[in-house]
Amino acid sequence: MDDKVINTVALIHVQDCKALLVRPHQKLAFYLPGGKLDQGENDEAALRREIREELGCSVGSLLGYDTFEDQAYGEPEGTRVRIACYFGELDRQPTPMGEIAEVAWFSHEEYAAMPNTAPAALRILLDLQGRALIT
């Protein structure tokens, strides 16, 4: 049987050499803002909708970064998440809204030291650090 793959999009927003991450209600780990595409949406439309719903912000131009795949946080073993990541600037400071309980800024080391981390988010932050985009 094939592994299940959840296709998502995520925003990479860097400020002061740290990446913006969000923590939903009822979850222990932070991960990149974004989410699943609705029927008929492309990546850009889905990401803009998710950022509005989660952070109350609009996103300027989006620039494709990379796609990452790993074990999906909080899902049964073998469930993978595939995340198409985009850089984008926000029109204001993000505020937790809807399903989001908390927003925070992390370096790779700060995130890796957290007691709960999402495997894909950890991989993405390591990649950003390796490219000297965050500390």
Side-chain angles (χ1 to χ4, degrees), residues 12 14 17-19 21 32 65-66 68 70 85 106-112 117-135:
I12 297 174
V14 176
C17 298
K18 294 185 179 190
L21 299 181
L32 281 87
Y65 178 62
D66 208 341
F68 298 83
D70 213 317
C85 295
F106 289 92
S107 68
H108 172 261
E109 287 182 17
E110 289 167 337
Y111 187 69
T117 59
L122 191 59
R123 178 179 289 197
I124 293 165
L125 266 59
L126 180 61
D127 189 79
L128 290 168
Q129 181 191 45
R131 296 184 196 200
L133 298 171
I134 66 170
T135 54

Side-chain angles (χ1 to χ4, degrees), residues 79-127:
T79 302
R80 313 281 294 169
V81 63
R82 183 177 301 128
I83 308 172
C85 295
Y86 294 84
F87 283 107
E89 292 300 318
L90 301 175
D91 68 341
R92 64 179 61 96
Q93 282 297 108
T95 302
M97 298 181 70
E99 68 191 50
I100 302 304
E102 191 175 359
V103 299
W105 301 89
F106 289 92
S107 68
H108 172 261
E109 287 182 17
E110 289 167 337
Y111 187 69
M114 298 288 289
N116 295 284
T117 59
L122 191 59
R123 178 179 289 197
I124 293 165
L125 266 59
L126 180 61
D127 189 79

Side-chain angles (χ1 to χ4, degrees), residues 53-66:
E53 293 172 359
E54 294 181 355
L55 303 175
C57 297
S58 293
V59 182
S61 299
L62 292 171
L63 176 64
Y65 178 62
D66 208 341

